[in-house]
Structure formats: structure tokens, C-alpha cells
Amino acid sequence: MWTGVFPAVTTKFTADDRLDHAEMERCYGLQMEAGCDGIIVCGSLGEGPMLAPDEKIEVLKRAQKVAGKKPVLLTVNEPATREAASIARRAAKEGADGLMVVPSPIYHTNPQETVGALRAVAEAGDLPVMIYSNRLAYRVDVTVDLMEELAADKRFVAIKESSDDIRRSTEIINRFGDRYDLFTGVDNLAFEALSVGATGWVAGLVTAFPRETVAIYQLMRQGRRDEALAIYRWFRPLLDLDVSTYLVQNIKLAEVLAIGTNDRVRMPRQPLSGERRKAVEKIVRDALAMRPTLPPLQTSSRSSERLVAAE
């Protein structure tokens, strides 16, 4: 159902802590212009847990306006399954193309509870679901065995694989073939995951560097590994900013320098300051100074796949 680069977009705020719809529309538009294949809103990078339900729906609608016919997924990351089911129903009513579901961001569910929570959200929304498996950030591991328990329900269509163990990608493919659309969710493992068969990338630094992210994905799909690797090696110091407690602040600061936006965050987060800010600024400025010239590409990753099929 889904392939390609899906930005986990940031949520933009005004100086008085309201949603900045105009700036979100501009920034999301840059993702679409670069050839991204969909948008995921209100995730960890989108500060979803800091947003009220009504705000989540507003961000969803804004992304839908920009994405046109491309899919827009709403992240479900509410602490209680009751509230998760409620936002899933609202997302369906507003025409979301799917849900990315975190099993439980606060209470660390056991395997039975994990499966139960995911099923409850899927039933409530009755939309295609991307299972977000991130045992490091959320301490809940959606294992390959749990994926097998869920496989009979066709609403579970994709996995965002963020276990930080590249072996897990091959384990998923070996167990299920193409039953699930396999997305990598760790920016600084993306090349490795695409090399072993992932067909999508839920990306973070893409919000600041959309064309480079899309180029890596498309080149890999076209079998142009060495060209992709050269860009990835340049990109790696930036991609490492995604794997941090401060990923939101890191990436929003990268957006400031790369696309001229702001780095406002919602409290208790605060923008980077002091030595930490200087360190991130140096990483971004050094990368901008050495920004690679991108090779000619297909207009979208889907056309790249058609090219590979034709060959």
C-alpha cells in the first residue's frame, strides 16, 4: 500500500504557542515539491503528545491540503487506549489515509496488552495502520512474533521498524515476505535498511533536507547504490541528530538553517541553547558548506520502482 519517503513532519507554532498553519503549509509544501510520497503528522518529531486532540486534527487537515492525493497518516500516541481509539475514529471521519500507532508511550505494556491495544485502535479507526515498533523510545517491543499475531487483520499494513537492530528488518522479511510494507524509522540506519529490503523510510532530517533524502531513496530503488552511499556518507552527521533525546530541537534547528523557518517548540521542551546549540549549528553549517550536487533522478520514488520493474 505504501512505499517511499514519508516525512515525520514537525509541528509549527507561533510566538504565542498556537499552531502556525501558514508556516506548516510552506514547510510541508517543500516536502511534496522534493518528491516525498506521503506525510506523517503528530509523531514524536511532530510533538504529538504535546498537542490537544483538536490540534492534532487541525494539523492533519493542513497536511491533507498540501499533500493532495498523496497519503497522510495521523500518529496515534495517546497514553490510554480509550483516547487512542477516540482520536483514531476522528482521524477516519476527517479522511485520514491511515494511522501510525504507538502501542503505549507511557505504560509499558506486556505482549498481550500490546496486541490488545493495537487491535482496539485499528478497530476504532478502521483505517490502514502502520505499527510503530520502537522499543528504545517507548520500551514496548512489537516483536516479530507479535506482528504474526496481528497479521490476520488486514488493517495492519505496515511496520515502522525502529528497534535499532538492523537484523530485525531481515527477520520481518524472512517471516512475512511482502505481507507488511516495511519502513525504516531510524535515520542513521536508513541506507542499511534499504539495502536489505525496506521499501519505505519514515524520515526525520528530511524536513530540513528533503531533496537529499529523496535522492538516497530513489537511487537505492534504481540500483544506484554507490551514488546513494556517497550522499548518505555526507548526510550521516546530520542523520545522527535524529537519534537523541533532543531530536525535536535538533531537527527544528536544522530547519532554521536549511529552510529558513523557526525552532519554536512546546514546553516543557525549550529550543537548544548554549554549547549544545553551538554544536548542532556547527554540524548543520558544515554539512551545508559541503552540500553535494545531486544526480538526475526520476520525478518520484514510484516512477523509480516502475523503472526497476521495466529493467
Side-chain angles (χ1 to χ4, degrees):
M1 177 173 286
W2 298 320
T3 60
V5 176
F6 279 50
V9 291
T10 57
T11 301
K12 292 300 176 185
F13 301 106
T14 62
D16 60 352
D17 199 33
R18 299 176 184 272
L19 294 178
D20 190 339
H21 289 284
E23 187 62 1
M24 283 190 284
E25 189 167 328
R26 183 185 78 85
C27 293
Y28 300 172
L30 296 175
Q31 305 299 302
M32 296 296 98
E33 291 170 11
C36 293
D37 298 278
I39 294 178
I40 299 177
V41 299
C42 305
S44 303
L45 183 55
E47 298 174 77
M50 310 300 178
L51 302 177
D54 287 348
E55 289 180 314
K56 281 191 162 189
I57 298 302
E58 288 184 52
V59 176
L60 170 67
K61 290 180 177 179
R62 185 60 49 180
Q64 289 171 324
K65 178 181 178 181
V66 176
K69 295 182 179 180
K70 293 182 179 181
V72 178
L73 281 61
L74 177 72
T75 305
V76 176
N77 46 17
E78 281 63 27
T81 302
R82 182 183 66 174
E83 282 66 37
S86 176
I87 197 70
R89 283 189 288 267
R90 291 189 65 181
K93 184 178 179 181
E94 297 298 339
D97 296 287
L99 306 170
M100 184 172 76
V101 182
V102 179
S104 176
I106 294 179
Y107 172 67
H108 307 148
T109 52
N110 66 33
Q112 180 181 351
E113 292 169 330
T114 301
V115 169
L118 288 166
R119 283 177 173 160
V121 174
E123 290 170 4
D126 197 26
L127 289 170
V129 170
M130 177 183 292
I131 301 168
Y132 185 7
S133 177
N134 188 336
R135 63 188 180 186
L136 295 184
Y138 302 114
R139 302 185 188 180
V140 175
D141 191 4
V142 185
T143 64
V144 177
D145 287 342
L146 295 189
M147 294 174 196
E148 186 158 8
E149 283 194 51
L150 297 166
D153 188 335
K154 294 182 179 179
R155 287 172 293 209
F156 294 107
V157 301
I159 307 294
K160 179 184 176 183
E161 166 41 37
S162 299
S163 70
D164 203 40
D165 183 351
I166 192 60
R167 292 170 294 190
R168 179 70 65 87
S169 295
T170 297
E171 290 166 6
I172 292 170
I173 294 170
N174 284 351
R175 180 79 67 93
F176 302 109
D178 61 0
R179 164 62 186 83
Y180 291 109
D181 298 328
L182 178 59
F183 280 68
T184 178
V186 182
D187 268 2
N188 63 3
L189 280 177
F191 180 87
E192 292 82 352
L194 294 170
S195 295
V196 298
T199 58
W201 181 358
V202 178
L205 267 298
V206 66
T207 64
F209 295 91
R211 296 190 183 281
E212 288 83 359
T213 307
V214 169
I216 290 169
Y217 178 82
Q218 290 190 9
L219 289 167
M220 289 296 287
R221 297 301 287 175
Q222 294 175 46
R224 298 161 65 183
R225 177 188 177 279
D226 290 346
E227 292 171 274
L229 182 57
I231 301 169
Y232 185 70
R233 285 173 173 163
W234 162 83
F235 213 174
R236 259 298 304 272
L238 291 164
L239 298 177
D240 290 346
L241 298 175
D242 182 55
V243 186
S244 166
T245 302
Y246 299 98
L247 81 154
V248 176
Q249 294 97 318
N250 289 345
I251 292 175
K252 281 194 166 182
L253 180 53
E255 289 180 319
V256 168
L257 299 172
I259 63 172
T261 186
N262 65 75
D263 63 342
R264 299 186 188 108
V265 290
R266 178 159 284 178
M267 291 182 70
R269 285 189 178 92
Q270 295 182 10
L272 297 181
S273 60
E275 292 303 313
R276 189 181 299 275
R277 188 178 186 91
K278 290 179 183 178
V280 173
E281 282 189 349
K282 183 178 188 306
I283 291 170
V284 179
R285 292 188 189 281
D286 287 351
L288 287 169
M290 299 294 291
R291 201 167 192 169
T293 300
L294 301 179
L297 299 168
Q298 298 292 324
T299 56
S300 73
S301 60
R302 297 187 191 281
S303 61
S304 299
E305 290 164 9
R306 287 195 294 270
L307 177 62
V308 171
E311 292 175 346

